[in-house]
Amino acid sequence: MKIIHHIDELRAALAGGPRPAFVPTMGNLHEGHLALVRQARTHGVPVVASVFVNRLQFAPHEDFDRYPRTLARDAELLQGAGCDLLFAPDEAEMYPVAQGFKVQPPAALADILEGHFRPGFFTGVCTVVMKLFQIVQPGIALFGKKDYQQCMVVRSMVEQLNMPIQVIGGETVRAASGLALSSRNGYLSPAELEEAVALSAELRRVADALRGGRRDHAALEAAAVAALKARGWQPDYVAVRRRADLAEPAAGDDSPLVVLAAARLGNTRLIDNLEV
Ligand code: PAF
């Protein structure tokens, strides 16, 4: 696997070849990322991954500075998973001047849920993903469905801006306990790590109730929030939404659903979701 830090070198390495399959990441990789790389391999084109901690998608009070930078380990893992090329630019390479042009996703999709609690987050994500797409020119891009809303926002950007890229959402990889793998799980103390499973357990309870025919979404959401609070969590939301557009399902709407949640455990904010 080649490791490339500069845009010109990356373009030269990919020139003349087929459009690659691309797995963008912020590093500190886990099995969820590696599953995306293995899935990318099945498409029979070169696989490119990127590792770049994107300042634009972090608010000033968030964890940009302490986000783990583990490039040597990430490179070993990517190589083991069959990645052909790792693009690992530094900030000066990605943002040589202050990024004045930004990609502003529509409020209906990007100012709700994560976007409500992290204003500007999806503008930061779309802007860096757009830049990475321009640099890597992939034919396929893979994103983990643990970041469900991010997958939808990126897919919508690609569709509305007519980018010739197939966006694939990879299934969430979970520990045996049910805990969704996340780079931020590394912030948890051993006791918090045990407790963290409660988030997926609450999601499962809501999903099971929906599968069992309950349609009192607000009551189900409120019960899950209360249960998490009672265990010492600070939930931002537990929300039953339509899979197609993340809108609240109206009474009688039987379109496929997803339950999404974000909650803080100690100093760590975790997100998860389950399709129903
Ligand atoms: O999901 C992530 O790791 C990031 O949001 C992404 C897509 C790599 C953009 O920085």
Side-chain angles (χ1 to χ4, degrees), residues 36-272:
L36 293 178
V37 171
R38 287 189 211 101
Q39 193 175 346
R41 278 229 70 80
T42 64
H43 291 271
V45 291
V47 176
V48 177
S50 63
V51 169
F52 178 65
V53 185
N54 173 39
R55 186 187 289 276
L56 276 194
Q57 69 192 71
F58 289 81
H61 65 279
E62 292 183 336
D63 55 342
F64 175 77
D65 287 328
R66 68 179 181 128
Y67 201 89
R69 273 81 167 168
T70 54
L71 188 61
R73 181 178 165 275
D74 292 342
E76 268 177 39
L77 291 172
L78 287 168
Q79 176 149 16
C83 181
D84 297 301
L85 202 154
L86 165 58
F87 178 50
D90 65 12
E91 266 202 287
E93 188 70 8
M94 287 300 284
Y95 297 123
V97 294
Q99 185 68 31
F101 288 93
K102 297 200 175 131
V103 181
Q104 177 78 59
L109 189 55
D111 289 1
I112 58 170
L113 303 169
E114 281 307 280
H116 176 75
F117 289 95
R118 303 184 69 189
F121 170 69
F122 287 116
T123 299
V125 168
C126 285
T127 302
V128 80
V129 169
M130 169 67 101
K131 283 171 74 88
L132 289 167
F133 283 175
Q134 296 296 339
I135 294 164
V136 175
Q137 301 273 309
I140 300 164
L142 297 96
F143 294 81
K145 275 165 58 172
K146 188 179 89 62
D147 297 297
Y148 202 87
Q149 191 177 2
Q150 170 173 276
C151 260
M152 292 189 62
V153 169
V154 169
R155 184 173 284 122
S156 173
M157 173 180 82
V158 161
E159 282 167 10
Q160 286 198 18
L161 298 180
N162 305 97
M163 304 166 87
I165 300 171
Q166 183 193 356
V167 175
I168 296 177
E171 293 306 320
T172 301
V173 178
R174 297 181 182 278
S177 64
L179 174 67
L181 299 194
S182 162
S183 300
R184 289 189 168 98
N185 290 351
Y187 296 151
L188 300 170
S189 69
E192 287 172 338
L193 203 51
E194 262 185 48
E195 172 58 27
V197 68
L199 188 62
S200 58
E202 280 309 319
L203 284 174
R204 213 167 30 250
R205 239 186 294 281
V206 176
D208 286 347
L210 292 166
R211 284 188 199 109
R214 284 195 46 190
R215 288 294 175 263
D216 48 345
H217 302 149
L220 292 171
E221 292 167 357
V225 164
L228 288 168
K229 276 190 182 157
R231 302 180 68 100
W233 292 69
Q234 297 159 267
D236 281 344
Y237 60 85
V238 176
V240 177
R241 295 297 170 100
R242 288 153 42 124
R243 276 195 224 173
D245 54 8
L246 297 184
E248 291 178 33
D253 181 350
D254 63 354
S255 50
L257 300 175
V258 56
V259 195
L260 308 106
R264 201 172 294 279
L265 182 58
N267 291 323
T268 307
R269 188 173 182 278
L270 299 177
I271 63 172
D272 198 356

